[in-house]
Amino acid sequence: GSQARADDTIRVEDIRFERSLADDAWLLWARFSVPAGPRIEQALRDGVTLHYVVEFDLTRPRWWWWDQKTVEARQAHTLSYHLLTQRFRAGIDGDVREFATLAEAAQAVAQVSGWSVVADLEPNTSYEARLRLRFDRDRLPKSYQLGAMTNNDWDIDSEWKRFTLTTATSASAR
């Protein structure tokens, strides 16, 4: 939403995209900034799990035809609070780690490390890539969603980061 406060935007801070040495996969490393203010902490302490989605799209531009959507990869991240241990939890694609502070857990949620996103790219070809981490407001409990409609508290924007990826020939990539 346009009324979202500036500190309520999830931004891409860093991207690294590398050819895997093991196979034809390409690996993605990324770091985002994720808002973790008081109301997010309150929601977590109230037992709400916050859902985020890393979205990575790869398109091959073609001047003679429509662009070819090559890859659409998604990774689920969650932020939660465990009442008994009183620790914050970061889940990355089902792998859950615990942290003493919300800041640490949010930092973990904001990372993508060596995610194998794509294989079989054409050599010597340019692709348009875009990446973002999106807060999934629809996964909030209904009571929060109703609140979210009347105030912009849960309008957490996420910006797309676009970049061009050019594949090297197989020979030079190995």
Side-chain angles (χ1 to χ4, degrees):
S2 52
Q3 295 109 323
R5 295 178 290 287
D7 60 346
D8 273 352
T9 301
I10 300 174
R11 292 193 170 77
V12 183
E13 294 191 337
D14 194 31
I15 297 176
R16 221 167 74 239
F17 204 68
E18 287 175 11
R19 182 76 176 265
S20 162
L21 297 175
D23 49 25
D24 274 347
W26 288 82
L27 304 177
L28 177 70
W29 280 263
R31 196 175 71 246
F32 303 87
S33 62
V34 173
R39 85 202 132 86
I40 285 187
E41 178 157 1
Q42 190 55 56
L44 293 170
R45 289 184 183 276
D46 287 346
V48 175
T49 297
L50 302 180
H51 295 265
Y52 301 83
V53 186
V54 181
E55 299 178 332
F56 175 77
D57 297 338
L58 205 57
T59 306
R60 183 178 174 186
R62 296 185 293 196
W63 56 270
W64 73 93
W65 197 244
W66 285 291
D67 291 348
Q68 175 189 16
K69 175 73 65 94
T70 309
V71 175
E72 283 187 55
R74 302 290 181 262
Q75 191 178 64
H77 293 204
T78 57
L79 200 51
S80 59
Y81 180 72
H82 194 256
L83 206 59
L84 289 176
T85 59
Q86 296 193 355
R87 290 170 75 82
F88 294 91
R89 291 181 162 181
I92 311 286
D93 242 11
D95 178 36
V96 179
R97 289 159 55 206
E98 293 203 336
F99 299 90
T101 68
L102 171 57
E104 289 171 302
Q107 201 173 0
V109 163
Q111 304 272 354
V112 172
S113 306
W115 180 26
S116 176
V117 284
V118 57
D120 305 330
L121 294 184
E122 297 280 330
N124 292 321
T125 304
S126 280
Y127 293 88
E128 296 299 316
R130 58 182 202 148
L131 173 75
R132 73 172 176 175
L133 177 67
R134 178 175 60 83
F135 175 68
D136 193 347
R137 204 171 89 163
D138 296 340
R139 302 277 306 263
L140 283 171
K142 283 286 175 276
S143 56
Y144 277 79
Q145 283 186 38
L146 289 173
M149 312 250 172
T150 54
N151 62 44
N152 296 317
D153 261 9
W154 294 98
D155 260 355
I156 300 174
D157 282 342
S158 51
E159 64 173 20
W160 282 103
K161 182 79 169 178
R162 296 166 199 277
F163 58 102
T164 302
L165 167 75
T166 305
T167 55
T169 57
S170 302
S172 67
R174 293 193 188 286

